[in-house]
Amino acid sequence: MPEQIADLSDLRGDCAQCFGLCCVALPFARSADFALTKPAGTPCANLRGDHRCGIHTDLRTKGFTGCTVYDCFGAGQKVAQVTFGGQDWRTGSKEHARRMFDAFPVVRQLHELLWYLTEALGLPAARPVHAELRRALEETERLTRQSPGELAALDVAAHRERVNALLLRTSELARAGVGDGKSGKSGKKGRGGGKDRRGADLVGARLRGADLRGATLRGALLIAADLSGADLRDADMIGADLRDADLTDADLTGAFFLTQPQVNAARGSAGTRLPESVGRPVHWALRS
């Protein structure tokens, strides 16, 4: 495994080593998540001269919930310190800034893949594909270290598709024999064990106490779903939309391919059990 990526801790954003790239490079529209509209390449009105957020401690109350659920998976510091050698977008030319802003979302996608691949290598059940996972991780890490021009020309979608095929196999191995696999209201049995709810529209679904152990919820829309007390142990959570989903007292022990942004977007409690790969969001403690 490359020395640059030792574990998941290396794939978390370090704002102190970045230049506020997510606050400049990315666009957002006025909505429930953002209090204003900002085009890509334009600094957020709350970004200070030192690249820090002027309302960081009040983002939720000021209408910027979207910022509190975002994570770059360490892409910000990679682009700032490696791709551009520590040269600030504020001090360079407009072309330099544009190239930096173009590179950031590409590297962010690659770093998200590094998160999944690194986690997959930690799954004992996926041992039959560990060699392939290591090769995919090394190739993905190599791609993150390309020049700005090479990053701009990279077909990220094609690379994601290749990696996803391997992650699907990993999921099947990790979930084999897990869950009762019975068909019913919560879904049919999927390959590898558990229920298959890939891409399911479960917006606002009442899944309180549901048995989803070993289920695949890849890309499922769980926006505002009631998952309180649900059994999500050993479930595949890759790409599941958990915005405003209620995870109160839910058990996600052993759930994999679950990221911090997904957890941050959900609602939970002190009784919610999470895998070690993610932390308990501070705002969960603020719930009444």
Side-chain angles (χ1 to χ4, degrees), residues 229-273:
D231 187 350
L232 290 157
R233 288 176 292 170
D234 303 302
D236 180 350
M237 303 297 294
I238 195 168
D241 193 336
L242 295 173
R243 283 177 293 169
D244 205 33
D246 190 353
L247 296 176
T248 299
D249 297 332
D251 190 351
L252 289 96
T253 305
F256 54 95
F257 299 152
L258 179 69
T259 66
Q260 195 64 53
Q262 287 173 292
V263 175
N264 290 350
R267 294 178 289 128
S269 67
T272 304
R273 280 160 284 187

Side-chain angles (χ1 to χ4, degrees), residues 10 12 20 48 53 83 101 105 156 181 198 213 233 236 283:
D10 295 320
R12 303 182 193 278
R48 304 186 315 202
C53 176
T83 312
F101 300 155
V156 184
R198 284 179 292 179
R213 185 176 183 186
R233 288 176 292 170
D236 180 350
H283 64 269

